[in-house]
Amino acid sequence: MSPDPLLVGSHAHAFVEHLDAPVLTDVDAHHLERVLRLRVGDPVTVSDGVGGWRPCRFGGGATLEPSGEIRRTTAPYAPLTIGFSLLKGDRNELVVQKLTEIGASRIAPMTTDRTIVRWDAARATTNHDRFIRIAREAAMQSRRVILPIIEPVQPIDALAHGDEVALAVAGAPPIESGITTVLVGPEGGWSPTELDFPTRRIGLGPNILRAETGSIVACALLVAFLTGQVTSAR
């Protein structure tokens, strides 16, 4: 399902709380006016983040002038989840950004037996808020109408159950029907205990990937499979 031409053709895309009387946040207003250099009257689309959107005209500052009716968009494929083991440095932010751009419905940072990065409660909350902001910015850039759900960090045990879940394992078969959640492990790989989880296995290609690359590839393959662009991920 391709984006509506109005979404693609607008000068910018933003999220608002109310579509019937849309108003930009101060941060978004600054971005549109100072960074994107929008002028009064330029076309902008706004979304409520849950499927509703509306074409508008930029009015300067936080002001928006609706130029069309409220429209509703449904997700073009079954909700898909990517779980990824926490990474060092800013690679977590990169993963959240790219998964949002590609089309993940749910992004689930997780800890595994071999995850090196561990956060206390305060840092976990701070980074969760940061991930939400990064996903929102990436959704604006990629013209998404439905924002992804960003889960708090959780142990893999909370995610590795259900017929729709698969672990990304080198050399495993390609993505197959029924899989809507892919879990990608850390650089050190899965522990023997995790490999015993009653979940399916999928491969992400012939090469050994970095953890962040694996998450991005898994999402791209799953989106392509669920939208019928490929019939096999091999």
Side-chain angles (χ1 to χ4, degrees), residues 43-227:
V44 178
T45 51
V46 294
S47 171
D48 58 9
V50 292
W53 69 277
R54 187 175 199 177
C56 295
R57 295 284 177 181
F58 183 60
T63 305
L64 292 167
E65 300 174 1
S67 59
E69 298 299 318
I70 296 173
R71 305 181 181 208
R72 296 289 171 187
T73 298
T74 56
Y77 42 80
L80 69 92
T81 298
I82 301 295
F84 70 95
S85 173
L86 290 179
L87 304 163
K88 292 181 178 179
D90 60 1
R91 291 189 291 166
N92 297 301
E93 287 85 350
L94 173 69
V95 170
V96 171
Q97 181 189 65
K98 299 310 174 188
L99 294 185
T100 301
E101 291 178 14
I102 295 167
S105 311
R106 178 171 166 245
I107 300 172
M110 62 185 185
T111 56
T112 71
D113 289 346
R114 293 177 177 172
T115 297
I116 296 175
V117 176
R118 305 283 173 170
W119 295 335
D120 59 25
R123 191 172 181 189
T125 297
T126 297
N127 283 308
H128 181 238
D129 291 341
R130 177 168 174 75
F131 291 167
I132 290 173
R133 290 195 300 272
I134 289 171
R136 185 177 183 276
E137 293 167 358
M140 290 170 62
Q141 184 277 325
S142 56
R143 302 297 200 271
R144 284 190 61 160
V145 175
I146 302 174
L147 285 167
I149 296 169
I150 310 298
E151 297 283 358
V153 175
Q154 55 196 302
I156 186 177
D157 307 65
L159 298 166
H161 54 83
D163 293 338
E164 76 284 0
V165 179
L167 298 183
V169 177
I175 292 174
E176 59 184 355
S177 179
I179 294 175
T180 58
T181 296
V182 178
L183 307 181
V184 181
E187 300 290 352
W190 302 114
S191 70
T193 298
E194 291 160 347
L195 288 172
D196 282 339
F197 286 155
T199 58
R200 289 194 264 185
R201 311 280 187 270
I202 64 163
L204 302 178
N207 301 324
I208 302 299
L209 305 177
R210 294 288 297 268
E212 65 270 28
T213 308
S215 298
I216 294 167
V217 169
C219 188
L221 289 174
L222 197 49
V223 168
F225 185 79
L226 292 175
T227 55

